[in-house]
Amino acid sequence: RWRKALELFADLRRRGLQPDVITYNALISAFERAGRWEEPLRFVAEMQEIDGLEPDIVTYSAAISACEKGGGRWVEAWGLFKELLSRGVEPNVVAYNAMISACEKG
């Protein structure tokens, strides 16, 4: 269903609507559930660079989990974890669990 989520996101843009953090979180989660890790990394950057949005703990947790499910990409997951800390986002149990799982599979 990640393709449908991406299609809907593109439609939102075509209609001139502004995505918010919740929109990005849902999109990143769709990729995470499909075991795709590259797109979540791109969307974490895009939400900041293009839309001026600050990722929250849900954003980072979903992206870290996507790295874990997408073949144990623990280096990429670790980069996201360090980024959330450097941005002052308080990690929660979900973020720690996703990071630990990425390390375990990596």
Side-chain angles (χ1 to χ4, degrees):
R1 295 181 207 145
W2 64 267
R3 286 186 177 96
K4 188 62 169 173
L6 190 58
E7 190 179 300
L8 289 165
F9 185 77
D11 187 52
L12 176 140
R13 289 256 193 232
R14 273 192 300 278
R15 294 176 182 272
L17 299 172
Q18 179 71 28
D20 60 14
V21 173
I22 296 168
T23 309
Y24 275 102
N25 290 349
L27 183 62
I28 290 167
S29 290
F31 286 105
E32 177 258 335
R33 287 189 184 106
R36 299 181 64 90
W37 63 274
E38 291 172 319
E39 293 90 344
L41 295 180
R42 181 171 54 105
F43 285 115
V44 169
E46 180 180 307
M47 71 187 293
Q48 296 170 74
E49 295 165 8
I50 294 175
D51 293 308
L53 299 170
E54 289 295 321
D56 63 13
I57 192 58
V58 175
T59 312
Y60 283 114
S61 295
I64 290 167
S65 183
C67 291
E68 175 261 322
K69 291 180 180 174
R73 308 297 300 197
W74 75 271
V75 172
E76 290 82 357
W78 182 242
L80 288 166
F81 196 80
K82 289 191 313 186
E83 181 181 316
L84 80 87
L85 292 173
S86 73
R87 291 182 163 275
V89 176
E90 188 66 33
N92 61 14
V93 172
V94 175
Y96 274 105
N97 287 345
M99 189 61 239
I100 290 167
S101 239
C103 290
E104 181 257 330
K105 290 186 179 173

